[in-house]
Amino acid sequence: MTATLYVPRDSGALSLGAERVARAIAQEAARRKIDVAVVRNGSRGLYWLEPMVEAATARGRVAYGPVRPEAVPALFDAGFVEGHPHPLCLGPTEEIPYLKSQERLTFARVGVVDPISLDDYIAHGGYEGLQRAAAMSAAQIVEEVVESGLRGRGGAGFPCGIKLRTAMLTGSDQKYVVCNADEGDSGTFADRMIMEGDPFVLIEGMTIAAICAGATQGYIYLRSEYPHAARTLAEAIAAARARGYLGANVLATGKHFELEVRVGAGSYICGEETAMLESLEGRRGMVRYKPPVPAISGLFGKPTVINNVLTLASMPIILTQGGAFYKNYGVGRSRGTQPIQLAGNVRRPGLIEKAFGVTLRDIVYEYGGGTASGRPVRAVQVGGPLGAYFPESMLDVALDYEELAARNGLLGHGGVVVFDDTVNMAEMARYAMEFCAQESCGKCTPCRIGSTRGVEVIDRIIARQDQSGNLALLRDLCDTMTNASLCALGGLTPLPVLSALKYFPRDFGLGDDAVSGLH
Ligand SMILES: Cc1cc2nc3c(=O)[nH]c(=O)nc-3n(C[C@H](O)[C@H](O)[C@H](O)COP(=O)(O)O)c2cc1C
Ligand code: SF4
């Protein structure tokens, strides 16, 4: 009988040696004349345990990790192929507390299935959402998505159903669906994990959006740093096309939908949806004025549904289980689940999908286990480079769009980056301004000029030159950037800057007088 072992082909696992582990397993199995099938799955998202190898046993999958190639002979000696004990054994995969306590809806299949096997996808409930959608009217699909409360997971949190309805109702001879897979936020990797670990869920989500809006062409705008995702997507798209899930007659509905991957050239601003459209049209990524919104006039001036990978990958489960099922998860106006990406100085970095409402403290300590350095947590940045820094004392905040906004923060794409007490927050504030200056598309003055002046002003504060005058200038500058920038790059850069200043004024070399003036 053939034994099945799973070795991830996810980039994170590959960077830790998964390829060599897979090779060592194949060689050792051949040497011992053991019949082993090695499936290259996605990552379960327990990155500190990668490469994590799983054995399929009669009592379910059993995990071992982190596995180095040198450990492979001893694992065979111990009988890991049948799930027997070994010092690297982590027990049944689904029982690992980090995984067991999650609520995986969007990530339900990631790490479980063979990413490029359409049969495996279907065997795990894949394409049920599209089958249901194919039997519904466009208006019914929109209502299901509206009912779910799904909001955009790319950063802005705009209600997904409203965007879909707008594109659906806008008449045109041509419409598009564009998936934003630029994933530029620091510390984020959930889009990549989906594309590498369960690409069909994204393809299915885009197809549902397309048949609803009446789009016949889709593009996945993929960042150039994701070559493994590009390869996996290409294989999955070809498989879907070959079996009639894409192409001239999707699922024999008479609907036409084609899908292509377009690779970006490495620019943070190309993740902003209108700059992304410029890039897709073959121009330099510069932000466009809005209105018109892309759902009315987007790619090549045609109605375009633009959504993040996670948003689109959530559509299949919403269509399969119904909007009410999805809406049952979450709190307030933040419905469903959020794939949270935990990174930085943390013991257990990884992917945690939880219903909205989980606290930052639970994420950092219960899941993350505190800092990797063992030193106290000093600050946590939520939401990528434009997100606020929260001090340890504020970690009880719930991950929820409104709760974070009430504290001058944002959820962004769900990235959480942890820093210990060796961090200098004045340097982080300076870095935020510098990042904005480097990544600015240059179209508007507050961002293009303001960010460069911002670096200079912070430098003067740190050098203790006229601190009160420069503090006033920095606030003024941040005010202008917030209110007069054309897009959120310039508009949100003040969040990390001002949060660092507010919660960590001593790092800027500010004395008691200046600190009391800040509060
Ligand atoms: C500077 C900047 C960078 C952005 N980068 C990304 C990105 O990498 N991925 C993404 O999905 N959205 C990004 N966005 C948000 C997009 O503009 C847009 O809101 C999103 O693609 C819409 O999809 P959603 O509604 O599913 O979130 C960025 C926005 C700004 C202002
Ligand atoms: S805020 Fe910055 S990135 Fe956005 S349009 Fe203005 S210059 Fe371009």
Side-chain angles (χ1 to χ4, degrees):
M1 211 181 88
T2 308
T4 306
L5 292 172
Y6 292 83
V7 183
R9 59 182 246 165
D10 168 280
S11 299
L14 291 178
S15 71
L16 291 162
E19 200 59 49
R20 284 185 293 124
V21 171
R23 230 177 295 130
I25 288 176
Q27 281 165 2
E28 197 61 25
R31 200 175 68 76
R32 294 174 188 241
K33 300 196 180 10
I34 300 176
D35 194 8
V36 167
V38 177
V39 176
R40 305 303 303 271
N41 58 338
S43 171
R44 297 273 191 164
L46 285 62
Y47 275 117
W48 77 102
L49 295 174
E50 292 289 6
M52 191 175 94
V53 177
E54 291 175 76
T57 76
R59 55 195 172 97
R61 275 156 71 164
V62 177
Y64 299 81
V67 176
R68 308 276 167 250
E70 310 78 71
V72 167
L75 282 164
F76 271 95
D77 288 343
F80 87 127
V81 174
E82 289 93 36
H84 292 166
H86 178 277
L88 291 178
C89 185
L90 304 160
T93 314
E94 307 287 345
E95 295 298 317
I96 299 173
Y98 199 92
L99 260 187
K100 195 176 181 183
S101 55
Q102 295 193 29
E103 287 138 324
R104 288 201 167 189
L105 302 184
T106 310
F107 274 73
R109 275 176 297 261
V110 176
V112 176
V113 294
D114 176 350
I116 51 168
S117 165
L118 185 49
D119 288 329
D120 209 8
Y121 182 65
I122 292 167
H124 286 82
Y127 276 120
E128 280 176 24
L130 181 63
Q131 299 273 10
R132 264 200 81 209
M136 292 160 78
S137 69
Q140 284 171 327
I141 299 173
V142 165
E143 284 325 305
E144 204 74 77
V145 179
V146 169
E147 164 75 8
S148 74
L150 178 67
R151 291 165 71 173
R153 302 285 189 248
F158 188 80
C160 181
I162 307 295
K163 206 186 269 187
L164 202 52
R165 181 188 285 146
T166 306
M168 190 237 332
L169 293 176
T170 306
S172 178
D173 56 343
Q174 174 70 60
K175 298 184 194 180
Y176 298 101
V177 173
V178 173
C179 169
N180 191 340
D182 200 50
E183 195 157 58
D185 279 3
S186 39
T188 63
F189 45 84
D191 294 351
R192 179 185 59 68
M193 283 185 68
I194 287 280
M195 293 184 286
E196 292 178 352
D198 190 14
F200 290 112
V201 78
L202 173 59
I203 297 169
E204 182 183 352
M206 289 184 76
T207 312
I208 293 168
I211 65 168
C212 174
T216 53
Q217 178 67 47
Y219 293 101
I220 299 173
Y221 187 84
L222 181 70
R223 64 183 292 129
S224 60
E225 293 88 339
Y226 286 176
H228 297 294
R231 205 178 52 226
T232 309
L233 283 170
E235 290 174 82
I237 289 170
R241 192 179 291 124
R243 299 265 291 270
Y245 288 95
L246 285 174
N249 188 12
V250 174
L251 279 185
T253 54
K255 302 240 165 72
H256 181 180
F257 184 55
E258 271 301 339
L259 190 51
E260 278 177 47
V261 176
R262 289 291 162 91
V263 178
S267 147
Y268 184 68
I269 199 59
C270 283
E272 192 284 332
E273 59 185 10
T274 62
M276 179 179 66
L277 293 177
E278 288 288 300
S279 175
L280 273 172
E281 290 180 17
R283 286 186 292 277
R284 178 179 155 194
M286 293 278 277
V287 173
R288 293 179 184 172
Y289 292 102
K290 282 193 279 194
V293 293
I296 292 174
S297 176
L299 189 62
F300 300 111
K302 303 294 183 183
T304 306
V305 176
I306 302 178
N307 279 118
N308 171 254
V309 173
L310 301 179
T311 319
L312 290 160
S314 302
M315 297 251 197
I317 191 150
I318 290 169
L319 268 294
T320 304
Q321 305 271 13
F325 165 85
Y326 191 80
K327 189 183 176 182
N328 255 330
Y329 293 84
V331 287
R333 289 180 48 229
S334 305
R335 309 311 313 179
T337 57
Q338 171 68 40
I340 298 152
Q341 300 122 89
L342 183 59
N345 189 341
V346 66
R347 270 183 60 210
R348 295 193 290 263
L351 189 287
I352 303 148
E353 182 173 352
K354 284 293 282 181
F356 282 100
V358 60
T359 68
L360 205 45
R361 189 172 297 285
D362 276 352
I363 295 297
V364 172
Y365 290 105
E366 295 299 315
Y367 286 94
T371 62
S373 62
R375 300 182 66 92
V377 172
R378 180 137 192 265
V380 177
Q381 187 177 31
V382 184
L386 310 177
Y389 288 100
F390 292 110
E392 214 280 342
S393 59
M394 284 179 72
L395 295 189
D396 290 314
V397 61
L399 289 179
D400 158 332
Y401 294 104
E402 279 66 43
E403 285 294 310
L404 288 166
R407 288 159 183 79
N408 291 323
L410 52 84
L411 181 65
H413 186 45
V416 172
V417 180
V418 181
F419 298 83
D420 75 7
D421 63 350
T422 60
V423 68
N424 181 317
M425 295 305 296
E427 277 172 19
M428 301 313 290
R430 185 189 191 280
Y431 174 72
M433 279 290 187
E434 202 181 12
F435 178 80
C436 181
Q438 278 173 6
E439 299 294 336
S440 170
C441 83
K443 187 149 178 166
C444 70
T445 316
C447 168
R448 186 185 69 242
I449 310 275
S451 51
T452 299
R453 293 290 93 86
V455 174
E456 294 163 2
V457 177
I458 292 173
D459 279 344
R460 289 201 292 271
I461 295 171
I462 296 170
R464 296 169 201 245
Q465 289 172 21
D466 181 17
Q467 283 188 321
S468 65
N470 279 304
L471 271 177
L473 199 55
L474 183 61
R475 289 193 170 286
D476 214 19
L477 177 64
C478 284
D479 196 42
T480 304
M481 288 176 72
T482 303
N483 294 303
S485 293
L486 183 57
C487 86
L489 178 53
L492 295 176
T493 292
L495 287 188
V497 173
L498 294 178
S499 59
L501 189 61
K502 179 172 179 183
Y503 301 120
F504 308 96
R506 303 282 181 202
D507 288 17
F508 292 75
L510 297 176
D512 287 342
D513 287 358
V515 171
S516 60
L518 284 172
H519 297 286

